[in-house]
Amino acid sequence: MNCIRLASILLLAALLPVTRPALAQAPPPPQADASKPQPPASVHSFDLSAIDKSADPCTDFYQYACGNWMKSNPIPADQVRWGTFSILSERNRYLLWQELDAAAQGPQGPLEKQYGDYFAACMNTGLVEQKGLTPLDPALKRIAGLKSADKMATLIGGLAAEGAGVPLFRFGVGQDEKDSSKQIAQISQAGLSLPDRDYYIVDNKHFQEIRKQYVEHVTKMLILAGDSAEQAAKEAASVLEIETALAKASTSRTDMRQPENRYHIYTVAGFEKLAPDFDFSIYFKDLKVGSFDSLNVATPDFFKAVNELIAREPVEAWKSYLRWHLIHGSANNLPKAFFDESFAFFGKTLAGQQEPTPRWKQCTSMTDRALGEAVGQDWVKKNFPPAAKASMDQLVAALEKSLGDDIGTLPWMSDETKKAAEEKLAMIRNKIGYPEKWRDYSALKVKRDDLIGNLRREEVFARNWNLNHLGKPVDEKEWGMTPPTVNAYYDSSFNDINFPAGILQPPFFDFTIDPAVNFGGIGVVIGHEMTHGFDDEGSHFDGKGNLREWWTPADRKAFTERTDCEVNEYNGFEAAPAHGDTPAAYVNGRLTLGENTADNGGLRIAWQALLDALAEQHKSIDDKIDGFTEAQRYFIGFAQVWCENRSEAITRQLVLIDPHSPGRWRVNGAVQNFDAFGKAFGCRKGQPMFPQNSCRVW
Ligand SMILES: [Zn+2]
């Protein structure tokens, strides 16, 4: 997995890092000890009881397909969004917990002992309480000992070497976007605690209030760490000042989507000139990264700004910043007082979560992130039958054919570009279920009585694993998601689509149901991932995964006109209403363009694949089951994958950081752009879901 670019994923799991960054990012909201694990409800494909029959599908299809579901499935207190997706994730997490709990109590082999101990250390909150802040003492002492700003690199490198990395920037190894056969060093912006740079920059009452509460929160955390109220307030002000400067120097998420904006090859000497006051040679040495003489600097201006900040800010301010990040980064695994305070701000205020996530869920997810391919080996044996893989292979082949047919008939694309697109499509590789070769975790030392130590060693282990790729041939068999994950992704440098075992079950995929529902579920997901190879970002990469223009200028222009249509359309979709001083929040059509293009393309090509499959079986799209035609069942099956409720706070956060539109617009946006929908439900041309003019890219 490239350290700079995140692959295009199907769904952003709210606040949980799906792919591993080279350095620690802001942690997920903290969690608390709580209730006994319960097996969650099962999810069905095509749920008649979810439908709101009082709604008109031609006016608001999402309300029709999901209205009753939304009414009868309020957000549980420990969640910030709740959808059919979440229920499936919770189910997988429960099954994983069973494995971990059994392994923690009586491991059968060395691998089980390793993940069992990792889990057990996380569950032992009594010991966490007893240890207090002592596990952080060595790192806190190092920070307190910083004498001058020119020793920053030594300090940050030393902390990272011990697994106590402070995320001022992100460094790691990933594929060269212009030569995907090479794995090179890459460095990029980071260093913020709030979810996006907008939280620091946007000047309205909503964000001013959040910033005020953030400073109060930092102050409280530092008081808990032993500082006087006066000292803590001063430190918190420094934290906000440094982070605001970093935010202003950061490239926006939308601009980072354009590959050329994040591709700047520098010699190491040239890079060091960008930030002469931070001695990167010391930092690289501390990380024990192999030798390299050039690297990709995703965000050169950010490093110039870091340098100016190092020169400008007093050393005491930097110590405050580093001290804060160390404590904040460990808050989930410190005594309850830290944990609760961190939850109150990052969980409740920022995301609208009412109660902390139970500890067993937190520890299950943490173990999955750390040792996912160890736990996953046993998990797939129980939960992923070989027949599921065989069915998926068939479905993927059907979708590939359908996308090929679609490309072949596009009226706006020249034969030359069509040929190149077809070549790229033929080169997409498919990975289904779980890795052929599991990651070797034997170098990771786990101690049952040392939670923070385990996290430190795991950080070092994961970083070494990543840095070891430097200069090596690319291993196409590596995965960026663990097997129980309910998600999927496309990676533009690998040019591959990836479907973890976790998603290959209802409501996405059900052996026992009619094909229309499966094509509307997993079929659209497969089409979605394939279309990512041809969205506003993926279309800049060729079949080998190299950033290279393979379009004629006229075709690129025609493509951009089409994507601009989608940008304008989705910009008009309201995500959260205005109230008081708080303005309405809208979908960001540019940030979500790739996902919207993939949703629209996926819905269209899975439909065509369904028509082909029905024709082969001599069945008709108008055949009825339970009072619905196959056509209607296809669209309802698609919509019900996205039934969800979200807290207003998380909605407002996600429109800034999530490249996916909210469920309502993933559904309504895609169906209103596809005439087959209006016809299937007998809508009149001009109704909201069957408009006169619509957008189409693929
Ligand atoms: Zn996607």
Side-chain angles (χ1 to χ4, degrees):
M1 189 62 37
N2 188 304
C3 76
I4 303 301
R5 168 186 50 81
L6 294 183
S8 300
I9 61 175
L10 183 68
L11 170 99
L12 181 80
L15 301 167
L16 291 176
V18 173
T19 45
R20 180 183 305 289
L23 283 176
Q25 285 180 317
Q31 322 289 326
D33 284 25
S35 60
K36 246 177 115 81
Q38 298 284 338
S42 52
V43 195
H44 303 286
S45 297
F46 200 83
D47 182 0
L48 277 171
S49 71
I51 296 175
D52 174 1
K53 292 224 166 99
S54 71
D56 178 358
C58 301
T59 306
D60 182 347
F61 183 54
Y62 187 73
Q63 183 61 35
Y64 174 81
C66 293
N68 262 8
W69 189 95
M70 290 188 286
K71 214 163 79 185
S72 48
N73 286 277
I75 307 168
D78 71 340
Q79 306 279 335
V80 294
R81 62 198 283 187
W82 189 244
T84 41
F85 236 109
S86 327
I87 298 175
L88 187 49
S89 294
E90 288 291 295
R91 182 174 167 271
N92 287 359
R93 183 152 64 176
Y94 176 79
L95 296 172
L96 201 57
W97 168 80
Q98 286 186 315
E99 302 282 325
L100 295 173
D101 189 51
Q105 291 178 32
Q108 303 295 314
L111 212 52
E112 274 200 337
K113 166 125 181 66
Q114 193 181 26
Y115 61 71
D117 283 351
Y118 199 92
F119 177 76
C122 177
M123 288 301 290
N124 192 347
T125 49
L127 190 58
V128 166
E129 211 60 41
Q130 205 182 317
K131 288 188 178 183
L133 263 192
T134 50
L136 300 192
D137 277 349
L140 288 169
K141 275 195 189 122
R142 283 182 98 119
I143 293 169
L146 181 68
K147 292 281 181 286
S148 58
D150 64 347
K151 293 282 185 287
M152 284 269 288
T154 311
L155 174 60
I156 290 180
L159 290 171
E162 289 170 4
V166 175
L168 180 58
F169 49 81
R170 224 188 271 186
F171 173 72
V173 169
Q175 281 166 281
D176 182 340
E177 291 203 324
K178 291 198 177 172
D179 181 355
S180 66
S181 68
K182 285 196 183 133
Q183 309 207 69
I184 61 169
Q186 315 229 17
I187 198 159
S188 185
Q189 65 193 25
L192 308 180
S193 307
L194 295 173
D196 188 77
R197 63 172 208 158
D198 278 9
Y199 282 76
Y200 299 89
I201 299 171
V202 174
D203 205 20
N204 65 27
K205 282 196 175 161
H206 174 68
F207 285 109
Q208 284 162 0
E209 179 58 27
I210 288 179
R211 290 194 284 272
K212 190 175 139 262
Q213 290 174 299
Y214 174 52
V215 169
E216 286 165 9
H217 166 63
V218 177
T219 307
K220 284 184 200 160
M221 289 288 277
L222 294 173
I223 291 173
L224 286 174
D227 299 352
S228 71
E230 195 191 344
Q231 194 186 353
K234 201 173 152 220
E235 287 185 277
S238 296
V239 169
L240 184 68
E241 188 172 310
I242 290 179
E243 291 187 356
T244 303
L246 296 174
K248 285 181 181 162
S250 297
T251 304
S252 74
R253 284 174 199 273
T254 303
D255 287 341
M256 285 293 268
R257 285 185 50 71
Q258 284 312 305
E260 291 288 354
N261 289 343
R262 56 180 192 237
Y263 189 84
H264 313 91
I265 299 292
Y266 278 73
T267 61
V268 172
F271 169 60
E272 286 174 354
K273 278 188 202 136
L274 289 179
D277 293 328
F278 187 97
D279 193 339
F280 274 99
S281 65
I282 293 179
Y283 176 80
F284 295 145
K285 210 171 135 210
D286 277 332
L287 261 55
K288 299 193 177 70
V289 54
S291 79
F292 57 99
D293 44 28
S294 66
L295 76 167
N296 179 36
V297 183
T299 51
D301 289 344
F302 178 83
F303 289 96
K304 285 182 208 160
V306 166
N307 200 65
E308 281 163 25
L309 262 182
I310 289 174
R312 190 176 79 208
E313 289 290 336
V315 71
E316 288 306 316
W318 279 110
K319 281 155 78 168
S320 304
Y321 172 84
L322 297 171
R323 181 172 164 77
W324 153 249
H325 271 280
L326 190 81
I327 294 165
H328 168 57
S330 301
N332 283 2
N333 300 299
L334 291 175
K336 193 167 179 301
F338 288 90
F339 182 95
D340 288 348
E341 174 51 35
S342 188
F343 172 75
F345 180 71
F346 282 96
K348 203 162 190 174
T349 302
L350 283 191
Q353 188 171 333
Q354 296 309 307
E355 281 174 20
T357 310
R359 188 73 185 173
W360 69 269
K361 291 189 186 179
Q362 164 75 351
C363 294
T364 301
S365 295
M366 191 196 281
T367 311
D368 183 43
R369 286 196 292 275
L371 287 149
E373 290 191 19
V375 199
Q377 293 179 32
D378 293 325
W379 193 87
V380 294
K381 274 181 217 155
K382 289 189 188 157
N383 299 296
F384 189 63
K389 185 171 182 317
S391 300
M392 270 298 280
D393 287 338
Q394 273 182 3
L395 275 168
V396 170
L399 268 291
E400 265 168 12
K401 182 185 171 297
S402 176
L403 179 53
D405 292 347
D406 172 73
I407 292 168
T409 55
L410 288 178
W412 54 271
M413 190 183 266
S414 71
D415 288 346
E416 192 185 341
T417 306
K418 276 182 188 171
K419 192 166 165 276
E422 280 156 3
E423 278 167 17
K424 175 167 183 177
L425 173 63
M427 289 170 84
I428 293 181
R429 283 190 304 266
N430 313 313
K431 300 212 300 257
I432 294 162
Y434 54 89
E436 283 173 42
K437 191 181 79 189
W438 298 101
R439 194 174 299 187
D440 175 9
Y441 293 98
S442 52
L444 173 58
K445 195 168 173 193
V446 174
K447 293 186 186 168
R448 205 175 166 94
D449 60 354
D450 186 12
L451 170 58
I452 296 279
N454 290 342
L455 291 165
R456 299 273 184 268
R457 286 182 291 274
E458 198 275 327
E459 182 179 316
V460 173
F461 173 82
R463 186 179 58 233
N464 288 345
W465 179 85
N466 170 265
L467 295 181
N468 269 331
H469 289 68
L470 184 69
K472 304 249 171 73
V474 172
D475 183 352
E476 289 152 3
K477 293 182 174 156
E478 277 174 4
W479 279 68
M481 281 179 185
T482 68
T485 307
V486 183
N487 214 328
Y489 68 96
Y490 170 79
D491 187 308
S492 49
S493 289
F494 277 105
N495 192 25
D496 66 2
I497 51 177
N498 301 263
F499 306 95
I503 196 172
L504 303 175
Q505 43 187 321
F508 293 95
F509 187 40
D510 183 348
F511 283 120
T512 62
I513 209 154
D514 50 310
V517 177
N518 273 338
F519 276 92
I522 199 70
V524 176
V525 172
I526 298 167
H528 171 109
E529 298 308 335
M530 280 177 189
T531 308
H532 271 312
F534 304 91
D535 68 17
D536 61 317
E537 192 175 18
S539 65
H540 292 286
F541 294 82
D542 65 16
K544 289 184 177 154
N546 292 326
L547 183 53
R548 178 178 72 82
E549 184 59 304
W550 48 270
W551 296 61
T552 66
D555 288 332
R556 174 61 71 186
K557 188 166 166 280
F559 175 78
T560 306
E561 279 165 14
R562 278 162 176 76
T563 53
D564 282 350
C565 176
E566 273 186 5
V567 171
N568 292 331
E569 180 184 35
Y570 280 76
N571 274 340
F573 294 155
E574 187 184 89
H579 51 79
D581 287 330
T582 307
Y586 285 86
V587 172
N588 176 345
R590 191 74 51 208
L591 175 65
T592 56
L593 175 57
E595 297 301 335
N596 299 334
T597 303
D599 283 342
N600 280 265
L603 187 66
R604 194 175 280 273
I605 65 170
W607 168 263
Q608 191 53 51
L610 169 65
L611 294 184
D612 293 348
L614 291 174
E616 245 175 56
Q617 297 165 25
H618 308 289
K619 287 183 182 158
S620 160
I621 195 79
D622 299 319
D623 291 349
K624 279 193 177 178
I625 300 176
D626 291 339
F628 292 93
T629 64
E630 281 287 83
Q632 291 169 336
R633 290 173 68 84
Y634 170 80
F635 288 108
I636 293 170
F638 158 68
Q640 289 187 341
V641 160
W642 299 111
C643 295
E644 63 171 3
N645 286 304
R646 296 180 173 203
S647 77
E648 185 183 329
I650 200 67
T651 301
R652 289 182 178 275
Q653 182 179 137
L654 291 180
V655 291
L656 297 175
I657 66 171
D658 187 353
H660 305 85
S661 298
R664 172 176 298 274
W665 298 116
R666 294 192 81 155
V667 171
N668 284 356
V671 300
Q672 75 182 47
N673 284 334
F674 190 24
D675 276 3
F677 169 80
K679 289 174 192 158
F681 282 87
C683 305
R684 283 189 321 277
K685 201 73 183 161
Q687 286 191 283
M689 299 291 112
F690 197 28
Q692 295 291 354
N693 297 307
S694 58
C695 303
R696 177 176 175 187
V697 181
W698 294 101

